[in-house]
Amino acid sequence: DVKVTQSSRYLVKRTGEKVFLECVQDMDHENMFWYRQDPGLGLRLIYFSYDVKMKEKGDIPEGYSVSREKKERFSLILESASTNQTSMYLCASSGSPTDTQYFGPGTRLTVL
Amino acid sequence: GNSVTQMEGPVTLSEEAFLTINCTYTATGYPSLFWYVQYPGEGLQLLLKATKADDKGSNKGFEATYRKETTSFHLEKGSVQVSDSAVYFCALRELGGSQGNLIFGKGTKLSVKP
């Protein structure tokens, strides 16, 4: 089975802190994605990566950056956390653009 | 642009009731269509998919038919169980779309009472 893991299930940070969210997949997938999920808004794509060291902006990249140094790991970085970044963050991976995306359990981030 | 519209919830049903969750889409090409399910405290799981018109996706008693003429992909189940309580997301991916990105609806929360 494909396994996508995220470093934390719950995280509480303060405004202005630098925040790292980590995602690891164990299926040698090329493509990895970061979404945020908010009530009434569904899932929105923040960034995605289709290869090591490659990244593309999604629909809402402002305030975020990403890092993909190794194929299995995709990190989401909040350079200076703000309260409007309080959300559920979901990571996903897929073997190719047309393959099924497999999701991690999510990280619920609260910024105080 | 591409978009997905699904019925707003929450939807509350009694066990063994019939379920329909409506989903319609707007796309410039010929998308693949998906239903994902999110059980409480978990990430999203693919429930079913259809890649071309008139395809029917099915899994765990759920079904959805890709209707190009009505641009719809409604989710149905004949007899729901308490364990089906979850949030359901309709999504599309346009063929040839940038790196296979999914566009999601806002989600519909289903609660099934015993």
Side-chain angles (χ1 to χ4, degrees), chain B residues 68-113:
Chain B
K68 185 164 174 273
E69 63 276 12
T70 54
T71 61
S72 66
F73 193 55
H74 305 320
L75 182 68
E76 296 181 337
K77 187 174 185 182
S79 176
V80 294
Q81 306 299 314
V82 173
S83 57
D84 294 326
S85 297
V87 181
Y88 293 82
F89 292 92
C90 186
L92 71 80
R93 182 179 61 225
E94 189 173 28
L95 288 179
S98 176
Q99 303 302 325
N101 297 345
L102 292 171
I103 296 170
F104 288 88
K106 294 181 179 180
T108 303
K109 184 175 182 179
L110 170 67
S111 295
V112 181
K113 308 296 184 187

Short mmCIF file of all heavy atoms in Angstrom, two decimals, chain B residues 68-113:
data_model
loop_
_atom_site.label_atom_id
_atom_site.label_comp_id
_atom_site.label_asym_id
_atom_site.label_seq_id
_atom_site.Cartn_x
_atom_site.Cartn_y
_atom_site.Cartn_z
N LYS B 68 -21.61 13.53 -19.73
CA LYS B 68 -21.04 14.68 -20.44
C LYS B 68 -22.13 15.67 -20.84
O LYS B 68 -21.93 16.88 -20.82
CB LYS B 68 -20.30 14.18 -21.69
CG LYS B 68 -19.56 15.23 -22.47
CD LYS B 68 -18.57 14.59 -23.42
CE LYS B 68 -17.92 15.62 -24.34
NZ LYS B 68 -18.71 15.85 -25.54
N GLU B 69 -23.31 15.14 -21.19
CA GLU B 69 -24.37 16.03 -21.68
C GLU B 69 -24.89 16.96 -20.59
O GLU B 69 -25.33 18.08 -20.88
CB GLU B 69 -25.52 15.21 -22.28
CG GLU B 69 -26.24 14.29 -21.30
CD GLU B 69 -25.56 12.95 -21.09
OE1 GLU B 69 -24.40 12.79 -21.53
OE2 GLU B 69 -26.18 12.07 -20.47
N THR B 70 -24.82 16.51 -19.34
CA THR B 70 -25.26 17.36 -18.22
C THR B 70 -24.09 17.82 -17.36
O THR B 70 -24.29 18.47 -16.33
CB THR B 70 -26.25 16.60 -17.32
OG1 THR B 70 -25.65 15.37 -16.89
CG2 THR B 70 -27.56 16.32 -18.05
N THR B 71 -22.88 17.54 -17.80
CA THR B 71 -21.64 17.85 -17.05
C THR B 71 -21.81 17.53 -15.57
O THR B 71 -21.59 18.36 -14.69
CB THR B 71 -21.19 19.32 -17.25
OG1 THR B 71 -22.20 20.21 -16.75
CG2 THR B 71 -20.91 19.60 -18.70
N SER B 72 -22.19 16.28 -15.32
CA SER B 72 -22.46 15.88 -13.94
C SER B 72 -21.78 14.56 -13.60
O SER B 72 -21.43 13.76 -14.48
CB SER B 72 -23.96 15.76 -13.70
OG SER B 72 -24.50 14.71 -14.47
N PHE B 73 -21.61 14.34 -12.31
CA PHE B 73 -20.98 13.11 -11.79
C PHE B 73 -21.56 12.88 -10.38
O PHE B 73 -20.85 12.93 -9.39
CB PHE B 73 -19.47 13.29 -11.77
CG PHE B 73 -18.69 12.01 -11.56
CD1 PHE B 73 -18.87 10.91 -12.37
CD2 PHE B 73 -17.72 11.94 -10.56
CE1 PHE B 73 -18.13 9.75 -12.19
CE2 PHE B 73 -16.96 10.77 -10.37
CZ PHE B 73 -17.18 9.68 -11.20
N HIS B 74 -22.83 12.62 -10.31
CA HIS B 74 -23.52 12.51 -9.02
C HIS B 74 -23.17 11.20 -8.33
O HIS B 74 -23.16 10.13 -8.95
CB HIS B 74 -25.03 12.58 -9.21
CG HIS B 74 -25.50 13.81 -9.93
ND1 HIS B 74 -24.96 15.05 -9.72
CD2 HIS B 74 -26.46 13.96 -10.88
CE1 HIS B 74 -25.56 15.94 -10.49
NE2 HIS B 74 -26.48 15.31 -11.20
N LEU B 75 -22.95 11.28 -7.03
CA LEU B 75 -22.61 10.10 -6.22
C LEU B 75 -23.89 9.50 -5.64
O LEU B 75 -24.72 10.24 -5.09
CB LEU B 75 -21.66 10.49 -5.09
CG LEU B 75 -21.17 9.35 -4.19
CD1 LEU B 75 -20.25 8.42 -4.98
CD2 LEU B 75 -20.45 9.91 -2.97
N GLU B 76 -24.03 8.17 -5.74
CA GLU B 76 -25.22 7.50 -5.22
C GLU B 76 -24.84 6.25 -4.46
O GLU B 76 -23.84 5.60 -4.76
CB GLU B 76 -26.17 7.12 -6.38
CG GLU B 76 -26.73 8.30 -7.13
CD GLU B 76 -27.67 7.88 -8.24
OE1 GLU B 76 -27.57 6.73 -8.71
OE2 GLU B 76 -28.52 8.70 -8.62
N LYS B 77 -25.69 5.94 -3.48
CA LYS B 77 -25.58 4.66 -2.78
C LYS B 77 -26.98 4.25 -2.37
O LYS B 77 -27.74 5.06 -1.83
CB LYS B 77 -24.67 4.75 -1.56
CG LYS B 77 -24.42 3.38 -0.92
CD LYS B 77 -23.41 3.42 0.21
CE LYS B 77 -23.13 2.00 0.72
NZ LYS B 77 -22.17 1.95 1.85
N GLY B 78 -27.29 3.00 -2.58
CA GLY B 78 -28.66 2.53 -2.36
C GLY B 78 -29.05 2.43 -0.90
O GLY B 78 -30.21 2.63 -0.54
N SER B 79 -28.09 2.14 -0.03
CA SER B 79 -28.42 1.91 1.38
C SER B 79 -27.21 2.30 2.22
O SER B 79 -26.23 1.55 2.29
CB SER B 79 -28.77 0.43 1.59
OG SER B 79 -29.01 0.16 2.96
N VAL B 80 -27.28 3.47 2.84
CA VAL B 80 -26.12 3.96 3.58
C VAL B 80 -26.03 3.31 4.96
O VAL B 80 -27.04 2.88 5.54
CB VAL B 80 -26.12 5.50 3.70
CG1 VAL B 80 -25.96 6.14 2.34
CG2 VAL B 80 -27.39 5.99 4.40
N GLN B 81 -24.81 3.29 5.47
CA GLN B 81 -24.53 2.76 6.80
C GLN B 81 -23.92 3.86 7.67
O GLN B 81 -23.39 4.85 7.14
CB GLN B 81 -23.57 1.59 6.70
CG GLN B 81 -24.02 0.50 5.77
CD GLN B 81 -25.35 -0.11 6.21
OE1 GLN B 81 -25.53 -0.43 7.38
NE2 GLN B 81 -26.28 -0.27 5.27
N VAL B 82 -23.98 3.65 8.97
CA VAL B 82 -23.38 4.63 9.89
C VAL B 82 -21.92 4.86 9.54
O VAL B 82 -21.41 5.99 9.61
CB VAL B 82 -23.55 4.17 11.35
CG1 VAL B 82 -22.78 5.08 12.29
CG2 VAL B 82 -25.02 4.12 11.73
N SER B 83 -21.23 3.81 9.12
CA SER B 83 -19.81 3.90 8.79
C SER B 83 -19.53 4.74 7.54
O SER B 83 -18.37 5.04 7.24
CB SER B 83 -19.23 2.51 8.60
OG SER B 83 -19.93 1.81 7.60
N ASP B 84 -20.57 5.13 6.80
CA ASP B 84 -20.39 6.00 5.63
C ASP B 84 -20.33 7.47 6.02
O ASP B 84 -20.11 8.34 5.16
CB ASP B 84 -21.54 5.80 4.63
CG ASP B 84 -21.54 4.42 4.01
OD1 ASP B 84 -20.44 3.86 3.80
OD2 ASP B 84 -22.64 3.88 3.76
N SER B 85 -20.53 7.77 7.28
CA SER B 85 -20.45 9.15 7.75
C SER B 85 -19.05 9.70 7.48
O SER B 85 -18.05 9.15 7.97
CB SER B 85 -20.77 9.23 9.24
OG SER B 85 -22.10 8.81 9.49
N ALA B 86 -18.98 10.77 6.70
CA ALA B 86 -17.69 11.30 6.25
C ALA B 86 -17.97 12.55 5.44
O ALA B 86 -19.11 12.96 5.25
CB ALA B 86 -16.96 10.27 5.38
N VAL B 87 -16.88 13.17 4.97
CA VAL B 87 -17.00 14.29 4.04
C VAL B 87 -16.62 13.76 2.65
O VAL B 87 -15.59 13.10 2.49
CB VAL B 87 -16.10 15.47 4.43
CG1 VAL B 87 -16.27 16.62 3.44
CG2 VAL B 87 -16.43 15.94 5.84
N TYR B 88 -17.44 14.07 1.66
CA TYR B 88 -17.24 13.59 0.30
C TYR B 88 -16.89 14.76 -0.61
O TYR B 88 -17.56 15.81 -0.60
CB TYR B 88 -18.52 12.87 -0.20
CG TYR B 88 -18.77 11.59 0.56
CD1 TYR B 88 -19.40 11.62 1.80
CD2 TYR B 88 -18.35 10.37 0.05
CE1 TYR B 88 -19.61 10.45 2.52
CE2 TYR B 88 -18.56 9.19 0.77
CZ TYR B 88 -19.17 9.25 2.00
OH TYR B 88 -19.37 8.10 2.72
N PHE B 89 -15.83 14.57 -1.39
CA PHE B 89 -15.35 15.61 -2.30
C PHE B 89 -15.41 15.11 -3.73
O PHE B 89 -14.89 14.04 -4.05
CB PHE B 89 -13.89 15.97 -1.99
CG PHE B 89 -13.68 16.67 -0.68
CD1 PHE B 89 -13.39 15.95 0.46
CD2 PHE B 89 -13.76 18.05 -0.60
CE1 PHE B 89 -13.19 16.58 1.68
CE2 PHE B 89 -13.55 18.70 0.60
CZ PHE B 89 -13.27 17.96 1.75
N CYS B 90 -16.02 15.91 -4.58
CA CYS B 90 -15.98 15.68 -6.02
C CYS B 90 -14.79 16.45 -6.58
O CYS B 90 -14.48 17.55 -6.10
CB CYS B 90 -17.29 16.18 -6.63
SG CYS B 90 -17.50 15.83 -8.37
N ALA B 91 -14.12 15.88 -7.58
CA ALA B 91 -12.93 16.55 -8.12
C ALA B 91 -12.80 16.22 -9.60
O ALA B 91 -13.31 15.21 -10.08
CB ALA B 91 -11.67 16.10 -7.37
N LEU B 92 -12.10 17.09 -10.32
CA LEU B 92 -11.81 16.83 -11.72
C LEU B 92 -10.34 17.06 -12.01
O LEU B 92 -9.66 17.81 -11.31
CB LEU B 92 -12.67 17.70 -12.64
CG LEU B 92 -12.42 19.20 -12.76
CD1 LEU B 92 -11.26 19.53 -13.71
CD2 LEU B 92 -13.68 19.88 -13.29
N ARG B 93 -9.87 16.36 -13.03
CA ARG B 93 -8.55 16.61 -13.57
C ARG B 93 -8.69 16.63 -15.07
O ARG B 93 -9.18 15.67 -15.67
CB ARG B 93 -7.55 15.53 -13.15
CG ARG B 93 -6.14 15.78 -13.66
CD ARG B 93 -5.17 14.71 -13.23
NE ARG B 93 -5.58 13.42 -13.73
CZ ARG B 93 -5.59 12.30 -13.00
NH1 ARG B 93 -5.22 12.34 -11.73
NH2 ARG B 93 -5.97 11.16 -13.52
N GLU B 94 -8.27 17.73 -15.67
CA GLU B 94 -8.41 17.85 -17.11
C GLU B 94 -7.30 17.10 -17.81
O GLU B 94 -6.13 17.21 -17.42
CB GLU B 94 -8.40 19.32 -17.51
CG GLU B 94 -8.77 19.54 -18.96
CD GLU B 94 -8.92 21.02 -19.28
OE1 GLU B 94 -8.26 21.83 -18.63
OE2 GLU B 94 -9.68 21.34 -20.20
N LEU B 95 -7.62 16.36 -18.85
CA LEU B 95 -6.59 15.67 -19.61
C LEU B 95 -5.62 16.69 -20.17
O LEU B 95 -6.04 17.69 -20.76
CB LEU B 95 -7.21 14.86 -20.74
CG LEU B 95 -7.98 13.61 -20.33
CD1 LEU B 95 -8.55 12.92 -21.56
CD2 LEU B 95 -7.07 12.66 -19.56
N GLY B 96 -4.35 16.42 -19.98
CA GLY B 96 -3.34 17.35 -20.45
C GLY B 96 -3.17 18.52 -19.52
O GLY B 96 -2.38 19.41 -19.79
N GLY B 97 -3.92 18.54 -18.44
CA GLY B 97 -3.78 19.63 -17.49
C GLY B 97 -2.41 19.64 -16.85
O GLY B 97 -1.72 18.64 -16.83
N SER B 98 -2.06 20.79 -16.32
CA SER B 98 -0.73 20.98 -15.78
C SER B 98 -0.40 19.98 -14.69
O SER B 98 -0.89 20.09 -13.58
CB SER B 98 -0.61 22.41 -15.26
OG SER B 98 0.62 22.62 -14.66
N GLN B 99 0.41 19.00 -15.00
CA GLN B 99 0.91 18.04 -14.03
C GLN B 99 -0.19 17.32 -13.27
O GLN B 99 0.03 16.87 -12.16
CB GLN B 99 1.86 18.76 -13.06
CG GLN B 99 3.02 19.44 -13.77
CD GLN B 99 3.86 18.50 -14.59
OE1 GLN B 99 4.07 17.35 -14.25
NE2 GLN B 99 4.34 18.96 -15.73
N GLY B 100 -1.35 17.19 -13.83
CA GLY B 100 -2.38 16.37 -13.23
C GLY B 100 -3.04 16.97 -12.02
O GLY B 100 -3.57 16.25 -11.18
N ASN B 101 -3.03 18.29 -11.89
CA ASN B 101 -3.63 18.89 -10.71
C ASN B 101 -5.11 18.62 -10.64
O ASN B 101 -5.82 18.66 -11.62
CB ASN B 101 -3.41 20.40 -10.72
CG ASN B 101 -1.94 20.74 -10.66
OD1 ASN B 101 -1.12 19.90 -10.35
ND2 ASN B 101 -1.61 21.97 -10.99
N LEU B 102 -5.57 18.36 -9.43
CA LEU B 102 -6.99 18.14 -9.16
C LEU B 102 -7.65 19.45 -8.75
O LEU B 102 -7.06 20.25 -8.04
CB LEU B 102 -7.17 17.11 -8.05
CG LEU B 102 -6.76 15.68 -8.36
CD1 LEU B 102 -6.80 14.84 -7.10
CD2 LEU B 102 -7.66 15.08 -9.43
N ILE B 103 -8.88 19.62 -9.20
CA ILE B 103 -9.70 20.74 -8.74
C ILE B 103 -10.86 20.14 -7.95
O ILE B 103 -11.60 19.30 -8.48
CB ILE B 103 -10.21 21.57 -9.92
CG1 ILE B 103 -9.01 22.20 -10.63
CG2 ILE B 103 -11.19 22.64 -9.46
CD1 ILE B 103 -9.34 22.85 -11.93
N PHE B 104 -11.00 20.56 -6.70
CA PHE B 104 -11.98 19.97 -5.80
C PHE B 104 -13.20 20.85 -5.61
O PHE B 104 -13.12 22.08 -5.65
CB PHE B 104 -11.35 19.76 -4.41
CG PHE B 104 -10.34 18.64 -4.35
CD1 PHE B 104 -9.01 18.88 -4.65
CD2 PHE B 104 -10.73 17.37 -3.99
CE1 PHE B 104 -8.09 17.85 -4.59
CE2 PHE B 104 -9.81 16.33 -3.92
CZ PHE B 104 -8.49 16.57 -4.22
N GLY B 105 -14.34 20.19 -5.37
CA GLY B 105 -15.49 20.90 -4.84
C GLY B 105 -15.29 21.20 -3.38
O GLY B 105 -14.25 20.83 -2.78
N LYS B 106 -16.26 21.84 -2.77
CA LYS B 106 -16.10 22.30 -1.39
C LYS B 106 -16.36 21.21 -0.37
O LYS B 106 -16.12 21.40 0.82
CB LYS B 106 -17.03 23.49 -1.13
CG LYS B 106 -16.65 24.71 -1.95
CD LYS B 106 -17.56 25.90 -1.66
CE LYS B 106 -17.11 27.10 -2.49
NZ LYS B 106 -17.96 28.29 -2.25
N GLY B 107 -16.85 20.08 -0.80
CA GLY B 107 -17.10 18.97 0.11
C GLY B 107 -18.53 18.96 0.64
O GLY B 107 -19.15 20.01 0.82
N THR B 108 -19.03 17.76 0.87
CA THR B 108 -20.36 17.57 1.44
C THR B 108 -20.24 16.62 2.61
O THR B 108 -19.78 15.49 2.47
CB THR B 108 -21.33 16.96 0.40
OG1 THR B 108 -21.39 17.80 -0.74
CG2 THR B 108 -22.73 16.81 1.00
N LYS B 109 -20.64 17.11 3.78
CA LYS B 109 -20.57 16.28 4.97
C LYS B 109 -21.82 15.42 5.09
O LYS B 109 -22.94 15.94 5.05
CB LYS B 109 -20.42 17.15 6.22
CG LYS B 109 -20.24 16.34 7.50
CD LYS B 109 -19.97 17.22 8.69
CE LYS B 109 -19.73 16.38 9.94
NZ LYS B 109 -19.44 17.21 11.13
N LEU B 110 -21.63 14.13 5.22
CA LEU B 110 -22.72 13.18 5.38
C LEU B 110 -22.71 12.61 6.79
O LEU B 110 -21.68 12.13 7.25
CB LEU B 110 -22.59 12.04 4.37
CG LEU B 110 -23.54 10.86 4.56
CD1 LEU B 110 -24.97 11.28 4.31
CD2 LEU B 110 -23.14 9.69 3.65
N SER B 111 -23.84 12.67 7.45
CA SER B 111 -24.01 12.02 8.75
C SER B 111 -25.13 11.00 8.62
O SER B 111 -26.22 11.33 8.17
CB SER B 111 -24.37 13.05 9.83
OG SER B 111 -23.32 13.95 10.04
N VAL B 112 -24.83 9.76 9.02
CA VAL B 112 -25.83 8.70 8.97
C VAL B 112 -26.16 8.28 10.39
O VAL B 112 -25.26 7.92 11.16
CB VAL B 112 -25.30 7.49 8.16
CG1 VAL B 112 -26.37 6.39 8.11
CG2 VAL B 112 -24.90 7.91 6.76
N LYS B 113 -27.44 8.36 10.73
CA LYS B 113 -27.91 8.03 12.08
C LYS B 113 -28.44 6.60 12.12
O LYS B 113 -29.08 6.16 11.16
CB LYS B 113 -29.00 9.01 12.52
CG LYS B 113 -28.64 10.47 12.37
CD LYS B 113 -27.48 10.85 13.27
CE LYS B 113 -27.19 12.33 13.19
NZ LYS B 113 -25.96 12.70 13.93
#
